[in-house]
Amino acid sequence: AKSQKRSYYQVFQGDMHNEALAELQLENEIRQGLEAEEFILYYQPIINLTNNQLKGFESLIRWNHPQKGIVTPFHFINLAEQTGLIIPIGLWVLKEGCKQLDKWHNHILNSSDNHKTIPIISINLSSQELNSEKFLPTLDNILKETKVNPEYIKLEITESSPIFQEQSTQYILDAIVDRNIQLWIDDFGTGYSSLSYLHRLPINGLKLDRCFVTDIETNQKKAKMIKAILSLAFDLGVEVIIEGVETEKQLEIIQEMGCIWGQGYLFSHPLPPEKAGDILLSSN
Ligand code: C2E
Ligand code: CA
Ligand code: CA
Ligand code: CA
């Protein structure tokens, strides 16, 4: 029994060792990837459900890895958060997303076509990035450099972010709003936070997490919750985007409930920039 115990221990230790090594290697690869500009943004359309028109895009990071190809955030975001690399990554995302929006705006405003869609961009922020002293200066630099209209920028912060609980960092949220940038709550309905931030903070919109819509066809309780959230948001003057719409039936149900904004595979997967641009410039 003794020797058996030892071997379990050794196996366990060996696994830990390999895991730690793999993480260290990935961390180095992320660092190098940032340096080599291997990260890119994909863009997923946000749709007006009342007229099927494109409102704009959510930017979603991808890693164009030299060996692995296009890698999704699932494989690197956690480690980036643990190592603090999420800060330089996030600041890059903010810059890149705004630059892309500025390019699209310039193209549309300078073209003779009668484009109606001046797109918005919705950018994901991590809590660490928000708390970085570089965040506001970076934001101001981008606004100055691009002169992009800040009203077309939405910043998404997940509901579970400590920033919604802490008084000491509320000035960052106020600073965002002072710049006429929209503040949106991401993954609404999944956090353990109270709803108090809805009246305390200058929130423009909620992104209702995809878990609500997935089984809306069969789950009466979830359907009722969506209805109640839509009604509460409407009363508070807060907009709602329902995420993760995958089927016609789901679309039909949320349209009937009066939901105005949707996003999901039914409309489009996240797209590389050229494809998103094509869709944008061929819309209406
Ligand atoms: P999120 O912000 O909640 O983004 C929505 C995720 O759902 C995206 O996954 C998107 O591709 C996926 N999705 C969209 N429509 C559907 C659908 O109809 N069905 C299903 N099953 N999934 C759908 P993605 O791109 O893999 O991103 C995962 C998460 O990684 C994001 O969740 C966000 O938390 C994080 N993330 C992505 N880009 C960034 C970024 O630039 N900065 C930061 N800090 N986090 C990011
Ligand atoms: Ca998001
Ligand atoms: Ca500009
Ligand atoms: Ca979300």
Side-chain angles (χ1 to χ4, degrees), residues 3 32 36 69 107 134 141 165 167 170 196 231 251 253 269 277:
S3 67
Q32 285 162 10
H107 187 101
K134 288 195 182 143
N141 258 330
Q165 316 300 333
Q167 290 294 326
Q170 210 201 298
S196 69
S231 151
L251 173 62
I253 295 172
H269 280 255

Side-chain angles (χ1 to χ4, degrees), residues 14-227:
D15 276 356
M16 290 285 288
H17 189 64
N18 286 341
E19 212 173 281
L21 263 185
E23 282 196 348
L24 202 62
Q25 194 181 343
L26 182 59
E27 182 186 341
N28 281 330
E29 274 187 58
I30 297 175
R31 248 180 246 284
Q32 285 162 10
L34 255 175
E35 192 82 10
E37 298 179 48
E38 290 168 6
F39 290 93
I40 50 173
L41 291 181
Y42 271 36
Y43 298 92
Q44 186 177 34
I46 296 169
I47 304 294
N48 184 332
L49 307 179
T50 66
N51 57 14
N52 213 24
Q53 281 189 359
L54 180 70
K55 171 75 173 170
F57 302 94
E58 176 180 17
S59 67
L60 293 158
I61 196 168
R62 297 290 180 267
W63 183 1
N64 193 359
H65 191 282
Q67 282 90 41
K68 298 176 202 158
I70 301 291
V71 179
T72 58
F74 173 79
H75 300 280
F76 61 88
I77 279 279
N78 277 345
L79 192 66
E81 270 167 9
Q82 284 164 38
T83 54
L85 283 169
I86 193 69
I87 297 174
I89 291 177
L91 296 174
W92 175 82
V93 167
L94 189 60
K95 253 187 237 164
E96 181 63 21
C98 291
K99 277 201 266 179
Q100 180 62 74
L101 185 72
D102 189 42
K103 276 189 215 156
W104 282 331
H105 279 196
N106 289 339
H107 187 101
I108 289 167
L109 297 172
N110 295 331
S111 88
S112 49
D113 305 353
N114 239 338
H115 280 293
K116 282 172 269 166
T117 310
I118 309 232
I120 59 96
I121 191 162
S122 206
I123 297 175
N124 293 288
L125 294 184
S126 74
S127 300
Q128 285 189 59
E129 175 187 1
L130 269 169
N131 283 306
S132 153
E133 75 272 10
K134 288 195 182 143
F135 174 70
L136 287 176
T138 304
L139 190 60
D140 284 336
N141 258 330
I142 299 166
L143 293 178
K144 210 170 99 191
E145 267 176 35
T146 61
K147 303 207 171 50
V148 70
N149 184 343
E151 288 170 23
Y152 289 83
I153 303 171
K154 299 182 180 183
L155 297 181
E156 299 186 6
I157 305 173
T158 115
E159 188 187 43
S160 56
S161 171
I163 198 151
F164 296 121
Q165 316 300 333
E166 285 166 15
Q167 290 294 326
S168 62
T169 44
Q170 210 201 298
Y171 76 94
I172 300 170
L173 301 179
D174 293 333
I176 290 173
V177 173
D178 283 346
R179 284 158 180 74
N180 285 325
I181 291 172
Q182 290 202 19
L183 200 56
W184 281 62
I185 306 273
D186 202 358
D187 305 333
F188 183 81
T190 62
Y192 33 78
S193 61
S194 74
L195 292 177
S196 69
Y197 58 76
L198 279 182
H199 63 80
R200 262 193 305 118
L201 300 171
I203 306 293
N204 298 94
L206 310 173
K207 298 194 75 171
L208 192 63
D209 192 77
R210 127 172 130 245
C211 72
F212 284 94
V213 84
T214 7
D215 54 354
I216 194 175
E217 295 156 54
T218 51
N219 190 327
Q220 281 302 312
K221 281 191 185 161
K222 284 215 187 139
K224 281 182 183 158
M225 285 179 76
I226 298 189
K227 255 193 193 163

Side-chain angles (χ1 to χ4, degrees), residues 221-271:
K221 281 191 185 161
K222 284 215 187 139
K224 281 182 183 158
M225 285 179 76
I226 298 189
K227 255 193 193 163
I229 292 167
L230 287 172
S231 151
L232 175 70
F234 184 81
D235 287 346
L236 292 173
V238 168
E239 293 190 289
V240 176
I241 296 176
I242 297 192
E243 297 189 284
V245 183
E246 291 182 350
T247 69
E248 290 287 351
K249 186 74 193 161
Q250 290 167 354
L251 173 62
E252 204 177 288
I253 295 172
I254 64 173
Q255 272 175 326
E256 243 160 55
M257 289 178 177
C259 181
I260 298 182
W261 306 109
Q263 194 182 334
Y265 294 165
L266 176 64
F267 310 108
S268 169
H269 280 255
L271 305 167

